[in-house]
Each structure stands twice: as C-alpha cells, then as structure tokens.
Amino acid sequence: MITLRNRRRTGAGWQASWATLLLCLVVMLGSGGFGSGGKGALASDLTLLRNQLASNLAKVDRSNQVELIEDRGALVIRLSAGLLYESGQVQLRPQALPVLDVIGTTLAATKQRMVVEGHSDSDPMLPNPTIPDNWALSGARANGVLRYLREFHGIDDARLATAGYADTHPVASNETPAGKARNRRVEIRVLAQGT
C-alpha cells in the first residue's frame, strides 16, 4: 500500500518523490490491479473450472448435450432443453440428473455466484393453464435447474439467481428445426469471483 504523508518538501527532492510515486502507480495499474491477480487471474480461474467440468462430464452419458463456453467474464454451461425436459414441460427428466449431479458437485466446491437462465425457441406455447407462454416456460425451467442445484447439492441461495428470456436471446436461427433445438436451452452462467 502507498501511504501519502503530509510533509513539506522543496526543490528537486519533492519533484523526485512525486515522480517515483507516479511511476509506481503506472506500473501497478498496468499490471491489472492493486492486488495479486487481476483480470488474468479471474480468466484463469474460469478456465480451470471449465477444464474440471469437461473432465467430470466426460464420465457421464449424454454429456454431448452440454457446451462449456467462456463468455464476457463468465463460464457458460449450456444445457440442451431436450436433455432436461420433455417438450413443453417443466419437470426434469431422469436422464438429466446424472449430468446435473456432475455439474452440481463441481460447482458446490467453488465460491462463484451463478445465474441460471432459461431460453426458448420462437414457437408459441400450446394452450396450458400453468405455463401460458414462452416467458413462463423459460423461467420455470431455469427455476427447476436452480432448485435441483440448491436442494441436492447444497449450493447457497446467496450464490444463485435465475432469469427467463423466452426467445429473446437466440444462439441460432429459428427458421430451421436444428436452430430451434439449439435455442431451447438452459444456461448456467458462472461469474468470475469478484464480479
């Protein structure tokens, strides 16, 4: 830590002290922050987590329906809705549980906050009194994954949040069946520590 003292200096000595102080400040800012690490360390933490998840998921079936993407200071765990849910439903499929267990066990050992995001395609929902539209569907699916992580893997509520985006954040065209399938998804956005 740099401590500034209120001492009167005159002449070249005063100028040299301030020049040294400014040089130290420039070096510290250029290195990415006042503490150890900085942005590089945050990115490194996410990369380590990504590699650990990839290794753990390789041991379970249907892991090919999971993508791991580093995006804007977060690790995104993208889960196909076809893995998690029957069409138009919000109850988790039994086939999804081994994948969610690997993810939950891995994330429970970390300290990062995360947002569970639900996404749909652009097709309107069939009439349903409990799930009237894609907004409700995407939110309910995100909540279902969050509840599973919380209840079965003990992830603290303070680290969890959900969001439902309906069809407003597509990752592919909704003009083709394959594109619609990619858009129907739940994403767990794991935030870098300190963000």
Side-chain angles (χ1 to χ4, degrees):
M1 174 181 286
I2 297 174
T3 303
L4 298 178
R5 300 180 187 274
N6 187 17
R7 297 175 69 183
R8 177 173 294 184
R9 292 180 179 265
T10 59
W14 180 89
Q15 293 173 345
S17 296
W18 276 105
T20 302
L21 178 62
L22 287 173
L23 177 61
C24 290
L25 183 61
V26 167
V27 169
M28 291 176 71
L29 289 174
S31 68
F34 288 92
S36 62
K39 291 182 180 179
L42 297 179
S44 177
D45 288 344
L46 291 178
T47 300
L48 289 173
L49 178 58
R50 177 183 181 175
N51 292 341
Q52 184 180 8
L53 275 167
S55 176
N56 294 343
L57 284 167
K59 303 169 187 174
V60 297
D61 191 27
R62 299 173 69 90
S63 61
N64 63 331
Q65 292 180 273
V66 182
E67 294 178 70
L68 304 174
I69 304 151
E70 290 183 51
D71 176 49
R72 292 175 296 161
L75 173 62
V76 178
I77 306 167
R78 181 174 293 162
L79 300 147
S80 162
L83 165 67
L84 299 172
Y85 298 104
E86 299 288 350
S87 179
Q89 301 301 306
V90 296
Q91 298 297 322
L92 285 168
R93 302 177 71 189
Q95 298 93 318
L97 303 187
V99 172
L100 289 177
D101 286 335
V102 167
I103 293 169
T105 299
T106 306
L107 294 181
T110 71
K111 297 181 179 179
Q112 282 105 325
R113 294 182 300 116
M114 59 200 79
V115 182
V116 185
E117 303 174 348
H119 301 269
S120 73
D121 62 23
S122 60
D123 289 347
M125 282 285 297
L126 295 174
N128 183 327
T130 58
I131 307 292
D133 56 29
N134 283 330
W135 288 102
L137 178 69
S138 62
R141 286 180 166 179
N143 284 332
V145 171
L146 179 145
R147 283 195 300 271
Y148 190 85
L149 296 175
R150 184 187 67 192
E151 293 171 14
F152 291 94
H153 294 281
I155 296 178
D156 186 13
D157 286 353
R159 295 174 55 200
L160 293 166
T162 61
Y165 290 109
D167 62 340
T168 62
H169 289 64
V171 292
S173 171
N174 276 305
E175 301 301 316
T176 66
K180 288 179 181 179
R182 280 185 53 75
N183 290 331
R184 296 190 296 269
R185 67 198 192 278
V186 171
E187 295 182 346
I188 303 169
R189 184 172 291 271
V190 183
L191 307 178
Q193 291 189 49
T195 60

